[in-house]
Amino acid sequence: MTPALDEDRPTATRPTAGDPPRWSRYVACGDSFTEGLWDAPDGPDGPLRGWADQLASHLSRRRTAAGLPALEYANLAVRGRLLRPILTEQVPAALAYEPDLMSIVGGGNDILRPAVDVDRVAADLERTVAHVRARGVDVLLSTGFDARESPLVRSTRSRAGVFSAHVWSIARRQGAYVLDPWGMRSLLDGRMWADDRIHMTTDGHTRVAQGALVALGLTPDRADWDDPLAPLPPVPRLVQARADARWLREHAYPWATRRLRRRSSGDVRVPKRPALAPVE
């Protein structure tokens, strides 16, 4: 999943698939995707997990199995964040921990806005990636999601596609790794997505975590991480219409209301794992 790298740019060293992960400090930066909505394996009132937490667990387990110390991990992601606050607030805080691996994943909330300048967003991202790479830190980026199967979200598909193309180019120029949800066939299935149709279920996050292992040059734990699910029978039109109406009432309307009020679901939230700590 990682493109070829320019010879005159710093390169991310590709590990051998069977080797234990060399990274000892990993900090995740981002929005609700990296925070882990709605991966709550202990129930809706339990703590959120998410693909980045799962990735950290995989890396830590492989390190300890090889006799290395457990991975130290922090997750600074907060739901609702646009890319610029991720770059200007979370990334500097992450660098203070002197990580050797950082995931910088954002832009989805920007892409939801019709007036977004995707080229500017990508330029901001590349400046930050170049700065982080110059510090000797490996960077994991992510493409957007392909929303072609979502009749209510696919209006953003062209913007997400342009942003994803930028991500691949940034990674090639700056020597970064790329997680590629856009190319994951399994994520086209509606069962990978929560009721709000924007965030993933536990199974969706689990598959993305496996994709992140592949992006980092490591062998995934699941052979079926990218396989589509067996198709379900067609949903009756009336049932689908009722589901769409419920989605508009419970998710789309509150989101639009927050937009009009210039509010975010993460305005009063803080990172769930703000300090480096060993992953048990």
Side-chain angles (χ1 to χ4, degrees):
M1 284 191 178
T2 303
L5 306 172
D6 286 346
E7 293 182 357
D8 59 345
R9 294 290 184 177
T11 60
T13 303
R14 302 293 296 174
T16 302
D19 290 345
R22 68 180 184 278
W23 301 286
S24 60
R25 290 186 171 190
Y26 166 37
V27 182
C29 302
D31 52 27
S32 57
F33 175 45
T34 300
E35 184 185 348
L37 269 68
W38 293 106
D39 179 12
D42 296 325
D45 297 325
L48 295 174
R49 186 177 51 174
W51 72 269
D53 288 17
Q54 293 191 46
L55 172 62
S57 294
H58 289 303
L59 296 177
S60 189
R61 184 168 61 249
R62 295 181 185 200
R63 284 178 57 84
T64 56
L68 298 172
L71 179 80
E72 292 187 87
Y73 169 60
N75 188 321
L76 307 183
V78 177
R79 68 192 68 178
R81 290 294 190 266
L82 297 173
L83 184 61
R84 182 163 288 180
I86 294 171
L87 302 180
T88 59
E89 298 170 13
Q90 294 180 21
V91 169
L95 285 173
Y97 289 127
E98 299 183 346
D100 47 19
L101 176 64
M102 184 189 304
S103 56
I104 306 174
V105 179
N109 291 310
D110 302 78
I111 290 168
L112 288 172
R113 290 155 168 76
V116 64
D117 183 343
V118 177
D119 297 328
R120 180 193 61 77
V121 170
D124 291 343
L125 176 61
E126 180 157 18
R127 280 192 294 272
T128 298
V129 172
H131 173 67
V132 175
R133 290 291 294 126
R135 298 277 294 269
V137 181
D138 284 336
V139 175
L140 175 64
L141 302 174
S142 177
T143 67
F145 293 92
D146 187 351
R148 71 174 184 260
E149 299 298 328
S150 174
L152 296 168
V153 185
R154 65 186 175 200
S155 61
T156 67
R157 189 174 185 241
S158 60
R159 298 194 292 275
V162 171
F163 180 73
S164 297
H166 276 301
V167 166
W168 282 110
S169 296
I170 292 168
R172 175 179 56 79
R173 288 190 291 263
Q174 304 301 333
Y177 298 101
V178 178
L179 166 64
D180 186 23
W182 182 281
M184 289 180 62
R185 298 165 297 172
S186 59
L187 298 183
L188 295 174
D189 192 293
R191 286 166 286 183
M192 296 292 102
W193 298 91
D195 289 342
D196 63 8
R197 304 182 184 181
I198 295 177
H199 301 100
M200 292 184 301
T201 60
T202 290
D203 197 17
H205 279 283
T206 296
R207 288 172 181 252
V208 168
Q210 298 297 316
L213 287 172
V214 173
L216 292 172
L218 302 171
T219 304
D221 293 336
R222 291 176 48 165
D224 66 342
W225 65 276
D226 194 28
D227 292 342
L229 280 66
L232 291 172
V235 177
R237 187 172 300 177
L238 180 59
V239 173
Q240 185 62 53
R242 288 173 175 169
D244 291 345
R246 184 171 61 252
W247 176 80
L248 287 167
R249 181 177 65 254
E250 297 179 0
H251 299 288
Y253 177 76
W255 178 83
T257 301
R258 288 194 300 271
R259 281 287 316 282
L260 290 172
R261 295 175 178 173
R262 298 184 180 277
R263 301 289 299 275
S264 166
S265 58
D267 282 346
V268 297
R269 300 191 69 88
V270 296
K272 64 178 184 180
R273 192 181 173 106
L276 274 177
V279 177
E280 297 179 359

